[in-house]
Amino acid sequence: RTCRRLLVRLASGPFGGLGTRVALRTFALFCLCAIVPIVVSAIVADRIVRTQLRNDAATRLESTSKSYGLLVFERLRQTDEALTEVASLGLAGRVRREDISSLGSSYFEIVDVTADESTSVPRPGARPISLSLRGTQVRLTVFQRSGSRSLKITAAVNPSYLWNSDAVHLESMRICVRGPN
């Protein structure tokens, strides 16, 4: 009934020149057939664009996080090399154990030095290292052995050196590094 009333009103109103209900229905069908492809095309285009934008954002995030991860890894490796060199100097007798703590740099601070015959070093001949997170502070521990003597040096890595934004290419992006605390 409602449809019939609407058609009667349209037939007597501005579309009165269509003449009959059949002509009005044909006109309505043509209008619907013209609108449907436009709506369907808009929906499909919206989904394609949304998917592409999501994929682009994921690719950009993956690239940025990989770059940042490599930067952090490289800085930890450089700190490890510096601590290993300090430990080698200490074991060679070139630097006294008491003076090792003052050999930090702007990148790290040596917080603990242990030198004795009983310091256990896993796998003799290898250069084992230990990485730990104490609160928000990253600590790197290096074990070094020379004959029967061994040396263990622990350094706190400067957060501004380790976590700065050199590798982040997008200024509006923040990266969160999660640890146990």
Side-chain angles (χ1 to χ4, degrees), residues 124-163:
R127 283 189 331 108
I129 62 168
S130 172
L131 186 64
S132 64
L133 188 64
R134 181 176 279 178
T136 58
Q137 185 181 61
V138 176
R139 291 190 172 202
L140 189 65
T141 302
V142 173
F143 301 92
Q144 191 78 351
R145 182 184 294 261
S146 176
S148 63
R149 296 177 40 206
S150 62
L151 187 63
K152 178 175 111 175
I153 300 176
T154 301
V157 182
N158 186 346
S160 64
Y161 168 66
L162 191 59
W163 306 118

Side-chain angles (χ1 to χ4, degrees), residues 60-61 64-65 68 163-165 167-178:
R60 212 171 40 238
L61 180 61
T64 302
S65 62
Y68 199 76
W163 306 118
N164 70 5
S165 59
V168 179
H169 301 295
L170 303 172
E171 293 180 15
S172 62
M173 182 184 293
R174 293 181 140 190
I175 293 180
C176 179
V177 178
R178 299 180 61 116

Side-chain angles (χ1 to χ4, degrees), residues 73-146:
F73 178 77
E74 180 65 22
R75 289 181 177 179
L76 288 172
R77 190 185 62 74
Q78 289 173 352
T79 304
D80 170 54
E81 289 174 358
L83 291 175
T84 301
E85 182 65 30
V86 168
S88 296
L89 291 173
L91 287 173
R94 294 184 180 162
V95 177
R96 294 184 320 160
R97 186 178 140 223
E98 298 79 26
D99 296 336
I100 289 177
S101 294
S102 64
L103 292 178
S105 72
S106 61
Y107 304 135
F108 63 89
E109 175 187 356
I110 296 176
V111 293
D112 184 41
V113 178
T114 306
D116 59 26
E117 314 307 320
S118 64
T119 303
S120 64
V121 177
R123 296 183 298 135
R127 283 189 331 108
I129 62 168
S130 172
L131 186 64
S132 64
L133 188 64
R134 181 176 279 178
T136 58
Q137 185 181 61
V138 176
R139 291 190 172 202
L140 189 65
T141 302
V142 173
F143 301 92
Q144 191 78 351
R145 182 184 294 261
S146 176

Side-chain angles (χ1 to χ4, degrees), residues 32-51:
L32 184 65
C33 288
I35 292 174
V36 169
I38 293 171
V39 171
V40 169
S41 296
I43 291 171
V44 169
D46 179 59
R47 288 185 187 209
I48 290 171
V49 168
R50 189 180 309 151
T51 302

